[in-house]
């Protein structure tokens, strides 16, 4: 075997080793000790296969068969991991959103409207409500920064002429004992969930109890496109309620799934690294006409920062109005 081919094959095996170890550590059944055993067996199989590429020995062929068998078992186990709608869910993702469309009226079931006193102290409240899409008048993008300037959680909020605002969020559907893990999101640790919530719930908890930096950007979008995007959320929620899916940190996250919904509405919208590094989404939207380009982006960023207003507003009934009051920006 040529040296270049051996080197590339060896590199591929090392990547497979790393992937398998991460998958087994996060998902293998049986507790920590069994996980370590499965990881050790996978490591031994890969190293044996790796050695067989470089050392000619009478055990070369058996070692490759061992590696092939281990890879097939690992792949079969991975494929067998399927999403479920029946787990001991955390309170804030315990219910699945669903909706019914009748003409311009959309009736949503299981809208979240918690009263948050802290991240662990809250009053659970789920409600149903109807919205008339003929009265839809605004779309805002909220970015909640929780891990530096490059990473933000993306939410989309719809405003109606009666003063109501409803925010949609694509999130992990974590179990009661779980917390978010970026690595776990690559390895089928979490199901995917779409939350529809009152802004006084879903925006307040991030700026207030969780202490995240929160920005709110008005999106330039025709009313017909707003309507299509709202319906796309409802359709996605209904499909998730019928057929659970896994969350993925890169391919099926809070931003890429919104992009998937927007792309049919705005043809030609390009893929971009900022769909992954969602903290930089304002630059992407500004470049493609999604934000008010009559102002510099720096001014829009300053206006969009509602962290202090949202935290001080508290979860009151007038929360949506208070966070949209003009901020006093130093000259």
């Amino acid at each position: 075997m040529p040296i270049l081919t051996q080197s590339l094959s060896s590199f591929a095996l090392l990547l497979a080793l790393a992937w398998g170890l991460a998958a087994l550590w996060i998902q293998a059944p049986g507790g920590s000790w069994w996980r370590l055993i499965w990881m050790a067996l996978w490591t031994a199989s890969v190293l044996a296969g790796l050695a067989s590429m470089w050392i000619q020995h009478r055990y070369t062929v058996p070692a490759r068969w061992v590696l092939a068998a281990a890879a097939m078992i690992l792949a079969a186990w991975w494929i067998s991991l399927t999403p479920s709608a029946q787990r001991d869910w955390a309170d804030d993702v315990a219910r699945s959103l669903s909706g019914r469309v009748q003409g311009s009226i959309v009736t949503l079931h299981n809208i979240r409207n918690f009263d948050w006193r802290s991240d662990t102290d809250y009053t659970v409240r789920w409600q149903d409500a109807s919205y008339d899409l003929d009265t839809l008048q605004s779309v805002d993008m909220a970015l909640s920064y929780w891990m530096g300037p490059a990473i933000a959680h993306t939410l989309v909020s719809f405003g109606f002429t009666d003063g109501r605002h409803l925010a949609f969020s694509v999130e992990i559907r974590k179990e009661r004992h779980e917390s978010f893990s970026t690595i776990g999101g690559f390895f089928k640790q979490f199901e995917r969930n779409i939350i529809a919530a009152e802004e006084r719930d879903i925006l307040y908890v991030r700026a207030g109890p969780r202490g995240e930096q929160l920005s709110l950007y008005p999106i330039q979008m025709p009313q017909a496109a707003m309507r299509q995007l709202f319906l796309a959320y409802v359709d996605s929620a209904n499909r998730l309620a019928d057929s659970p899916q896994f969350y993925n940190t890169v391919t099926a996250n809070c931003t890429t799934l919104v992009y998937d919904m927007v792309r049919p509405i705005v043809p030609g919208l390009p893929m971009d690294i900022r769909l992954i590094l969602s903290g930089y989404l304002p630059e992407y939207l500004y470049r493609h006409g999604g934000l008010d380009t009559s102002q510099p982006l720096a001014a829009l960023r300053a206006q969009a920062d509602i962290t202090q207003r949202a935290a001080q507003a508290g979860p009151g009934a007038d929360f949506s109005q208070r966070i949209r009051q003009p901020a006093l920006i130093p000259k």
Side-chain angles (χ1 to χ4, degrees):
M1 184 183 293
I3 293 295
L4 178 59
T5 303
Q6 284 181 297
S7 299
L8 292 175
S9 298
S10 298
F11 181 68
L13 273 181
L14 291 174
L15 289 179
L17 173 62
W19 180 90
L21 289 176
L24 289 167
W25 177 249
I26 291 170
Q27 290 284 37
S32 297
W33 282 108
W34 274 109
R35 290 178 184 178
L36 291 174
I37 291 172
W38 301 130
M39 291 167 69
L41 290 172
W42 174 241
T43 300
S45 299
V46 173
L47 292 180
L50 191 62
S52 73
M53 292 183 183
W54 295 92
I55 302 172
Q56 294 302 316
H57 193 276
R58 61 194 178 96
Y59 295 118
T60 295
V61 173
R64 292 178 182 179
W65 279 109
V66 167
L67 174 59
M72 291 176 65
I73 293 170
L74 183 67
W77 163 74
W78 182 252
I79 293 171
S80 74
L81 299 177
T82 55
S84 173
Q86 304 300 323
R87 301 191 193 278
D88 184 18
W89 305 115
D91 290 336
D92 57 335
V93 291
R95 298 194 185 185
S96 295
L97 176 69
S98 63
R100 185 179 70 254
V101 181
Q102 295 176 302
S104 67
I105 305 299
V106 179
T107 301
L108 298 179
H109 305 285
N110 296 323
I111 298 169
R112 204 179 76 193
N113 189 16
F114 284 21
D115 286 322
W116 296 90
R117 291 172 290 277
S118 74
D119 202 20
T120 57
D121 180 18
Y122 46 82
T123 300
V124 174
R125 186 188 299 113
W126 298 90
Q127 63 193 33
D128 298 344
S130 295
Y131 298 86
D132 186 349
L133 296 185
D134 288 342
T135 67
L136 185 56
Q137 67 174 2
S138 67
V139 171
D140 297 306
M141 178 188 71
L143 292 176
S144 188
Y145 291 82
W146 55 276
M147 195 175 71
I151 304 299
H153 182 73
T154 305
L155 307 93
V156 176
S157 186
F158 295 85
F160 295 82
T161 55
D162 61 5
R164 290 187 297 170
H165 292 265
L166 184 71
F168 287 89
S169 175
V170 178
E171 303 188 358
I172 63 168
R173 196 175 191 190
K174 61 184 183 293
E175 296 177 59
R176 197 170 295 278
H177 64 278
E178 290 181 320
S179 57
F180 180 76
S181 165
T182 301
I183 301 300
F186 285 103
F187 294 99
K188 298 185 178 181
Q189 184 175 356
F190 309 110
E191 277 80 5
R192 189 192 315 161
N193 198 27
I194 293 180
I195 294 290
E198 297 283 337
E199 288 185 338
R200 62 177 295 278
D201 166 336
I202 203 164
L203 296 187
Y204 170 69
V205 69
R206 290 181 174 275
R210 295 179 187 171
E212 299 176 7
Q213 180 185 343
L214 188 64
S215 296
L216 190 68
Y217 292 89
I219 301 299
Q220 305 293 302
M221 182 177 283
Q223 207 272 351
M226 297 180 195
R227 185 184 187 119
Q228 286 179 268
L229 183 56
F230 191 99
L231 291 173
Y233 269 108
V234 176
D235 180 63
S236 296
N238 285 338
R239 285 189 280 111
L240 270 184
D242 293 336
S243 178
Q245 300 291 326
F246 283 119
Y247 176 94
N248 185 280
T249 301
V250 171
T251 62
N253 62 36
C254 63
T255 306
T256 57
L257 292 173
V258 176
Y259 171 77
D260 289 341
M261 288 186 272
V262 171
R263 187 170 51 179
I265 302 171
V266 186
L269 201 61
M271 286 292 294
D272 193 290
I273 189 61
R274 287 167 291 194
L275 297 172
I276 306 300
L277 303 177
S278 50
Y280 302 124
L281 266 179
E283 287 94 330
Y284 176 83
L285 292 172
Y286 191 83
R287 179 177 181 181
H288 296 288
L291 300 180
D292 179 11
T293 55
S294 68
Q295 301 184 67
L297 181 58
L300 294 182
R301 281 189 177 279
Q303 295 167 17
D305 187 352
I306 62 167
T307 308
Q308 186 173 2
R309 277 173 283 163
Q312 292 177 347
D318 61 346
F319 177 86
S320 294
Q321 288 69 45
R322 293 183 65 180
I323 64 173
R324 288 174 172 79
Q325 291 175 354
L328 296 177
I329 302 172
K331 295 182 179 181

